[in-house]
């Protein structure tokens, strides 16, 4: 069967429906070169091209540079016949440029330069090299991505063509949303990443940002016979001073006829790294017992009435912001990552190909935190402030505090994510003009936390504690009391919060293509997806002395004193005795005068003593919920190509329909007779979306491509927002409710771009984009009493201050509502060049650089700072509802990436720099407006040397400048939230291929 000259994937890039209509009426002509996606031409490859781009892995054609002019690059090796053979990193750049050049939509790709040899240690870190993409890191490693200013929940990810969600329990909080955690997978398992920045009717819906295809093996596109690859590296982190192994291997086979191929790969990595720094857990306002010797209440420590006067020192200090929990500490990240992939392909005829792919990944992490801190949060009433300074941003920037509530914490979390996927496809050419693809599969992501334990030591009457945040990122924190003496501490709280989250995806699709005439193709298809999300949370938390006096609530062996007794005779926990261990802070950026040694609980000893893991776990209402979505629908798309007044063009236009049936379940609680009952509540709804998309590519010359796109796009609401249940934060006096009736994020997307392929492996491009977001769920917030929520007292966490005094201050009550929408616009500029025109060794040099500029506007409502102190109790007044316009969450206005490389026959070197400007991460609390991160600059480098054609040595380094991660709270005052660093990582290894 002959190959149709234009059977390549003509993808998105639209302009308008009018242009599409004109194009449909014009005479069709073949667009042979510019519309063909390069592929390895081997016997057994069916004529069928997957109707959805990059459904299977892209493999640079081995010893074949003829697929596309851009792939014919500088000579790297010459055969006996003098033919040019392109290898290594340049080969991968050529394949990526060819894919971008020969699609109609806005597509970027990263292609492995060889089997099982991805250019970065992490998929997210590779993605940040693409224009418009920024990443968010956890423990110094890329985890989630932002595309053109839209956060991780707006990006859909497909693994081998099947949409899926992979959630991990890395970082300070678990991912319990639609965001995809790229750190679950070993990068060696993947052959290519393709990013679709614009929509088309034949592309899966659900993304306002991008659709990202992660592709594993494609054995029929590889070489004939047996291929074996093995690599090993030793990884060293200079902060933790720990070594860890990184191993990978691949075995593949393609028979001599090219009709059968099989591949199996595996990767393993173990690291044990540290994160050191300081944290405030936000800033807050609060009324103190006394200021510079002036009593603020008629009775000290507890009780009495407020005697401060308006404008007096008690009001000034009480309404200023102070760090809630000033502290230094360390976080240990012990990670183990295992991945296995398998692929079988069978092409009995040129018209038929059957593929079966399977992927397994296991990501295990032990996170251990050790902190020395003071609990100002909600305990200001007992503390005496002196020698203080209030800065121009109304921050209590420094102070000395007596009767301070000193606390040391030891936290341990053991988590594991297991991801399974199995999928298959059948590509069939029914005739020369008609073909179809049947695709289906199942994936499951199972994230479990069997242990999430915290023990705390308290010393509630420490004298002479002081802090100084004159340097917000490097504060001085000094404890006036001995924080290494067990006699000063009591074991006051125990916590354990096991949880489990399961995501299931079932997918079935039918895609067809019909070549109606030369230059006109009709694509149509139907799809079914079922996504289920289920998360369960439990608690074994207990405050040893939760009430004023009486027997303790854990063992019943001690008699607690009244909470007003904070002196040496106060009993609020078990004597620390031999339940502790000494923690010494390492290099956390702390200035001189900072306390660096603390007595913290020993987890094993404290767990044995209290019998923590034998306690009956209660259900956490806010962390137990589920969502099920069934999506059915289909699409029709018209692909055309031809000449219009001598101008070549390619275009597609179509409509996608999606019907979403959604079921949300959550828990509500009620208390009666001291017994709390959780009741399951389920809400069902459905909605329909019609999503048109138009894409046009114009080719004024062989080297210039102009693109345009317009489409309607959606992203379904955040999973956490859809629960009909609620949660209560008794530490911050906050109540949050879900809203299962939220509408999806809906937007109209516009894109135009120009690309100039001015030399082999070279590209200069400019893209402009805009998104008008019609519906944008936002949080509605008000202040009110706890009684006004209608929730029972039993849902307030027992360990929180609000459990003792529910109406101690007004609550911040919030929940998601359908907002008024938002707008986003931006520009991407990219330049890629290979200096083949230079003499000598300089011809082996090249570089890649890009810049992204994005701006957006959305309206948010939050509780602002309290402005009054309520008499006679001395509590803070209401947090006034404040509406502010700001950028979308996760949006950096600027991002820059650059890579300089050298590559010859034996030696190669690369150095990369990535910059991300500051961004807002989300809403804040306790009177702060927004939270976010400062700018970051990450520098990575690698060198490789081929000892023989089959064996090479490598040395790589990441985060070479040991960049600090600085987080702030309040967009105006930029108060310190956290500042920490992770150290540099070096990897020395070798790789063998046969």
């Amino acid at each position: 069967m002959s190959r149709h000259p234009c059977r390549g994937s003509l993808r998105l890039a639209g302009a308008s429906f009018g242009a599409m209509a004109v194009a449909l009426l014009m005479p069709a002509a073949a667009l042979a070169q510019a519309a063909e996606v390069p592929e390895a031409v081997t016997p057994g490859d069916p004529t069928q091209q997957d109707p959805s781009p990059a459904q299977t892995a892209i493999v640079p054609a081995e010893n074949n540079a003829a697929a596309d002019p851009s792939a014919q690059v500088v000579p790297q090796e010459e055969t006996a016949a003098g033919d040019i053979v392109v290898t290594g990193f340049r080969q991968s750049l050529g394949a990526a440029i060819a894919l971008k050049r020969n699609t109609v939509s806005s597509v970027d790709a990263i292609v492995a330069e060889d089997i099982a040899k991805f250019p970065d240690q992490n998929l997210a870190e590779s993605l940040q090299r693409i224009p418009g993409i920024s990443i968010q890191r956890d423990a110094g490693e890329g985890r989630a991505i932002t595309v053109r200013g839209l956060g991780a929940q707006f990006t859909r990810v497909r693994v081998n063509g099947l949409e899926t969600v992979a959630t991990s329990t890395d970082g300070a909080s678990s991912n319990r949303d639609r965001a995809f955690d790229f750190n679950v997978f070993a990068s060696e398992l993947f052959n290519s990443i393709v990013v679709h920045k614009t929509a088309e009717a034949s592309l899966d819906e659900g993304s306002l940002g991008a659709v990202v295809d992660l592709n594993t093996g494609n054995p029929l596109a590889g070489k004939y016979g047996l291929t074996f690859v093995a690599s090993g590296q030793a990884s060293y982190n200079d902060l933790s001073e720990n070594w860890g192994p990184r191993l990978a291997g691949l075995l593949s086979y393609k028979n001599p006829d090219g009709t059968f191929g099989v591949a199996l790969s595996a990767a393993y990595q173990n690291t044990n790294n540290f994160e050191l720094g300081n944290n405030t857990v936000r800033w807050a306002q609060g009324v103190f017992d006394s200021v510079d010797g002036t009593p603020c209440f008629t009775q000290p420590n507890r009780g009495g009435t407020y005697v401060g006067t308006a404008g007096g020192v008690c009001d000034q200090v009480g309404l200023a912001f102070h760090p809630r929990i000033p502290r230094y500490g360390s976080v240990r990240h012990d990670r183990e990552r295992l991945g296995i992939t398998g692929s079988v392909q069978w092409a009995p005829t040129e018209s038929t190909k059957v593929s079966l792919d399977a992927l397994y990944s296991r990501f295990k992490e032990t996170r251990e935190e050790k902190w020395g801190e003071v609990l100002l949060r909600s305990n200001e009433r007992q503390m005496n402030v002196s020698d203080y300074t209030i800065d121009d941003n109304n921050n209590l920037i420094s102070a000395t505090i007596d009767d301070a509530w000193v606390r040391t914490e030891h936290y341990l979390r053991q988590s594991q994510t297991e991801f399974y996927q199995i999928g298959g496809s059948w590509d069939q050419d029914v005739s020369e003009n008609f073909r179809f693809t049947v695709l289906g599969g199942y994936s499951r992501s199972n994230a479990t936390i069997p242990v999430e334990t915290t023990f705390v030591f308290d010393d509630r009457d420490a004298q002479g504690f002081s802090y100084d945040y004159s340097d917000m990122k490097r504060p001085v924190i000094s404890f006036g009391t001995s924080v290494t003496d067990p006699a000063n501490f009591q074991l006051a709280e125990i916590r354990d919060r096991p949880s489990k989250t399961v995501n299931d995806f079932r997918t079935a699709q039918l895609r067809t293509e019909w070549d109606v005439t030369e230059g006109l193709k009709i694509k149509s298809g139907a799809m079914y997806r079922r996504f289920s999300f289920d998360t369960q949370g439990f608690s074994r938390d207990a405050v040893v002395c939760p009430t004023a006096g009486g027997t303790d609530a854990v063992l019943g062996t001690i008699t607690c004193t009244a909470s007003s007794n904070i002196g040496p005779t106060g009993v609020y926990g078990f004597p620390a005795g031999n339940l502790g261990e000494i923690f010494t802070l390492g290099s956390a950026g702390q200035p001189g005068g900072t306390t660096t040694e603390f007595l913290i609980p020993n987890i094993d000893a404290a767990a044995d003593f209290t019998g923590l893991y034998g306690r009956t776990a209660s259900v956490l209402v806010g962390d137990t919920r589920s969502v099920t979505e069934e999506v059915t629908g289909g699409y029709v798309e018209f692909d055309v190509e031809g000449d219009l007044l001598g101008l070549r063009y390619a275009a597609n236009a179509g409509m996608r329909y999606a019907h979403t049936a959604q079921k949300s379940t959550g828990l509500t609680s009620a208390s009666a007779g001291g017994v709390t009952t959780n009741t399951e509540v389920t809400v069902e709804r459905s909605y329909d979306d019609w999503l048109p998309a138009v894409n046009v590519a114009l080719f004024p010359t062989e080297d210039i491509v102009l693109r345009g796109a317009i489409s309607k796009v959606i992203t379904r609401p955040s999973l956490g927002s859809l629960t009909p249940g609620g949660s209560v934060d008794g530490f911050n006096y906050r109540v949050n409710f879900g809203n299962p009736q939220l509408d999806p994020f809906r937007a109209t997307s516009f894109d135009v771009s120009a690309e100039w392929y001015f030399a082999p492996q070279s590209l200069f491009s400019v893209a402009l984009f805009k998104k008008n977001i019609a519906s944008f769920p936002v949080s509605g917030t008000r202040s009110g009493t706890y009684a006004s929520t209608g929730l029972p007292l039993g849902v307030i966490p027992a360990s929180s201050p609000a459990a003792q005094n529910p109406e101690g201050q007004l609550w911040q009550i919030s929940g998601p509502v359908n907002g008024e929408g938002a707008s986003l616009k931006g520009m991407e500029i990219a330049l890629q060049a290979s200096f083949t025109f230079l003499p000598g060794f300089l011809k082996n040099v090249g570089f890649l650089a890009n810049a992204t500029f994005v701006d957006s506007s959305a309206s948010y409502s939050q509780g602002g700072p309290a402005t009054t102190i309520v008499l006679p109790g001395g509590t803070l007044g209401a947090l006034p509802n404040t509406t502010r316009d700001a950028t979308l969450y996760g949006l950096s206005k600027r991002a820059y990436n650059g890579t300089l490389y050298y590559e010859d026959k034996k030696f190669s070197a690369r150095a990369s720099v990535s910059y991300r400007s500051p961004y807002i991460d989300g809403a804040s609390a306790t009177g702060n407006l927004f939270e976010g991160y400062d700018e970051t600059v990450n520098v990575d480098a690698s060198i490789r040397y081929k000892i023989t054609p089959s064996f090479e040595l490598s040395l790589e380094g990441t985060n070479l400048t040991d960049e600090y991660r600085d987080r702030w709270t309040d967009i105006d005052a930029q108060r310190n939230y956290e500042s920490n660093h992770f150290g540099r990582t070096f990897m020395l290894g070798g790789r063998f291929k046969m």
Side-chain angles (χ1 to χ4, degrees), residues 466-815:
S466 66
Y467 69 82
D468 186 348
Y469 279 82
S470 298
D471 182 347
M472 270 289 182
K473 298 176 182 179
R474 308 289 183 268
V476 179
I477 300 178
S478 178
F479 293 79
T481 187
S482 171
V483 288
T484 59
D485 186 354
N488 289 332
F489 285 105
Q490 300 178 37
L491 178 62
E493 271 189 57
I494 63 175
R495 303 176 199 150
D496 187 46
R497 298 176 182 177
S499 63
K500 179 178 182 180
T501 299
V502 178
N503 290 297
D504 278 297
F505 247 112
R506 295 172 172 84
T507 300
Q509 295 186 21
L510 171 65
R511 301 169 178 163
T512 68
E513 290 183 355
W514 175 30
D515 299 329
V516 180
T517 63
E518 186 77 9
L520 172 61
K521 179 187 298 181
I522 297 178
K523 297 179 181 178
S524 62
M527 54 87 177
Y528 169 83
R529 295 195 305 271
R530 184 183 187 276
F531 167 61
S532 65
F533 161 84
D534 189 287
T535 185
Q536 297 173 310
F538 303 91
S539 171
R540 295 189 179 99
D541 294 8
V543 176
V544 175
C545 291
T547 59
T551 304
D552 74 88
V554 176
L555 299 178
T557 59
I558 61 174
T559 301
C560 304
T561 59
S563 58
S564 59
N565 184 356
I566 63 170
T569 61
V571 177
Y572 41 82
F574 303 108
N578 60 357
L579 299 178
E581 63 185 61
I582 296 296
F583 157 59
T584 301
L585 181 69
S587 175
Q590 70 273 21
T594 297
T595 303
T596 58
E597 279 198 338
F598 306 90
L599 179 77
I600 65 172
N602 179 285
I603 285 184
D604 290 338
D608 289 342
F609 176 76
T610 59
L612 173 64
Y613 301 122
R615 293 174 60 88
T616 301
S618 60
V619 175
L620 286 175
V621 175
D623 293 340
T624 300
R625 60 187 189 274
S626 65
V627 176
T628 300
E629 290 176 346
E630 287 193 343
V631 180
T632 54
Y635 66 90
V636 61
E637 178 180 296
F638 299 89
D639 289 11
V640 296
E641 56 190 45
D643 288 313
L644 176 59
L645 302 177
L647 178 64
R648 293 191 305 152
Y649 69 88
N652 64 50
M655 179 71 73
R656 188 176 187 89
Y657 166 72
H659 172 78
T660 304
Q662 185 182 90
K663 182 169 70 173
S664 305
T665 300
L667 296 178
T668 59
S669 298
S671 297
V675 178
T676 299
T677 303
N678 298 322
T679 303
E680 187 176 279
V681 178
T682 298
V683 177
E684 297 186 20
R685 68 169 304 198
S686 64
Y687 50 87
D688 300 291
D689 286 280
W690 295 88
L691 305 170
V694 180
N695 306 271
V696 174
L698 304 176
F699 306 88
T701 71
E702 289 295 321
D703 299 325
I704 294 178
V705 183
L706 306 177
R707 307 184 195 276
I710 181 172
S711 60
K712 294 281 189 180
V713 291
I714 68 165
T715 289
R716 294 174 177 89
S718 166
L719 296 172
S721 300
L722 291 173
T723 174
S727 64
V728 176
D729 181 352
F731 293 100
N732 300 311
Y733 286 83
R734 299 171 67 188
V735 176
N736 289 283
F737 291 95
N739 183 357
Q741 300 297 334
L742 282 178
D743 291 332
F745 299 83
R746 293 187 172 102
T748 303
S749 180
F750 305 88
D751 293 81
V752 293
S753 65
E755 299 159 11
W756 177 28
Y757 299 86
F758 57 89
Q761 280 191 321
S762 301
L763 164 68
F764 175 70
S765 66
V766 178
L768 303 176
F769 54 88
K770 182 178 182 181
K771 297 182 189 294
N772 294 331
I773 304 174
S775 61
F776 191 86
V778 296
S779 177
T781 303
R782 66 180 176 88
S783 292
T785 64
Y786 183 79
S788 71
T789 67
L791 292 173
L793 297 176
V795 302
I796 302 176
S799 61
S800 67
Q804 308 303 313
N805 188 11
E807 303 298 350
Q809 68 180 64
L810 291 175
W811 291 70
Q812 184 176 323
I813 305 163
S814 61

Side-chain angles (χ1 to χ4, degrees), residues 179-196:
F180 188 93
D181 285 342
F182 288 89
N183 55 358
V184 170
F185 301 110
S187 61
E188 293 93 337
L189 301 179
F190 294 88
N191 185 282
S192 65
I193 303 177
V194 180
V195 180
H196 312 273

